[in-house]
């Protein structure tokens, strides 16, 4: 294994074996958590779309119009977090 170094006060210093082990454990923990970070980003990206859908549904219901297309769209938005491939999620198309 190649040596690992750290920067201390502008100087390059070789890491101890304990520091290397800790760095590797930290890197592994970060990599293992990638699906959770992707899911959190997906949920965050979805928030304004859900808010818009809620507004549209309430407006349509208040006006006595059919909101079923927007309700389906909203449910489809909620279901995207169940996608198996979080790298290739396709958001549903808004009703017209």
């Amino acid at each position: 294994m190649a040596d690992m170094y750290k920067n201390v006060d502008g100087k390059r210093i070789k890491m101890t074996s304990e520091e290397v082990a800790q760095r590797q454990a930290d890197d592994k923990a970060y990599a293992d958590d990638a699906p959770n970070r992707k899911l959190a980003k997906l949920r965050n990206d979805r928030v304004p779309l859900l808010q818009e859908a809620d507004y549209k549904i309430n407006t349509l219901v208040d006006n006595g119009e059919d909101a079923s297309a927007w309700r389906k769209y909203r449910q489809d938005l909620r279901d995207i977090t169940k996608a198996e491939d979080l790298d290739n999620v396709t958001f549903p198309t808004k009703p017209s």
Side-chain angles (χ1 to χ4, degrees):
M1 179 175 101
D3 292 334
M4 294 182 78
Y5 294 87
K6 61 184 178 181
N7 187 341
V8 177
D9 295 329
K11 295 180 182 175
R12 187 173 183 223
I13 298 174
K14 185 177 176 181
M15 296 172 85
T16 65
S17 59
E18 292 82 14
E19 290 172 324
V20 170
Q22 183 61 52
R23 173 64 184 265
Q24 290 171 336
D26 291 346
D27 288 349
K28 182 178 181 330
Y30 182 80
D32 290 347
D33 195 46
N36 290 330
R37 287 191 313 278
K38 289 176 186 175
L39 190 56
K41 182 182 181 327
L42 177 63
R43 286 182 172 138
N44 190 50
D45 291 347
R46 174 184 72 171
V47 167
L49 300 174
L50 287 169
Q51 290 170 338
E52 178 186 18
D54 287 344
Y55 176 79
K56 275 302 257 188
I57 291 167
N58 289 332
T59 301
L60 290 168
V61 169
D62 288 347
N63 292 330
E65 298 178 41
D66 180 23
S68 60
W70 279 93
R71 285 188 175 117
K72 181 184 179 326
Y73 169 70
R74 188 178 195 291
Q75 186 60 50
D76 291 344
L77 284 171
R78 294 180 58 84
D79 290 343
I80 63 173
T81 58
K82 298 174 186 172
E84 291 187 23
D85 184 2
L86 294 176
D87 291 321
N88 295 309
V89 173
T90 302
F91 281 82
T93 304
K94 291 180 193 178
S96 50

